Amino acid sequence: MLRREFETWNAAKIEQRNRVGKAVRIPQRRLSFKISPKTDRDVQWLMKAIGMNKTDTVRSVIMEIERDLLAPKAPNGLRHLQDIAAVVNA
């Protein structure tokens, strides 16, 4: 699923580049976060499973979150995540 999300994004980027005839500027903001050793092992496993580097894996995860939680008119699970965030931030 993640690989397909990334490939869709990458194909759109290439199509836009071909239409415009020049390189498409992609935002280059740095996203920095700390993760636990277990989460790092999970990310490493995911990277190997889908055959992508860390940057592309994180982009794919973000695209999937956007597609599943932010894009739909009635997102599944968003309320539950908001409740968890409220408890964590309390």
Side-chain angles (χ1 to χ4, degrees):
M1 186 68 130
L2 291 177
R3 178 170 277 294
R4 185 174 34 163
E5 290 292 328
F6 177 76
E7 288 171 355
T8 300
W9 171 81
N10 201 35
K13 180 180 75 169
I14 291 169
E15 179 184 329
Q16 184 178 8
R17 181 184 304 144
N18 291 337
R19 244 183 304 135
V20 174
K22 59 184 176 182
V24 176
R25 290 197 44 91
I26 297 174
Q28 297 295 318
R29 295 228 151 171
R30 182 173 304 278
L31 174 63
S32 187
F33 51 92
K34 294 182 180 184
I35 58 175
S36 69
K38 182 193 179 317
T39 302
D40 186 50
R41 286 191 301 273
D42 292 343
V43 169
Q44 295 296 326
W45 175 86
L46 183 59
M47 289 167 46
K48 288 179 186 172
I50 62 177
M52 294 169 59
N53 64 32
K54 191 177 286 187
T55 298
D56 294 341
T57 300
V58 170
R59 280 183 182 154
S60 299
V61 169
I62 291 170
M63 284 186 280
E64 189 161 327
I65 290 169
E66 180 179 5
R67 189 199 66 204
D68 292 347
L69 296 177
L70 304 177
K73 300 240 185 284
N76 295 327
L78 183 58
R79 184 70 210 149
H80 182 67
L81 287 176
Q82 289 171 331
D83 291 343
I84 292 171
V87 170
V88 170
N89 290 321

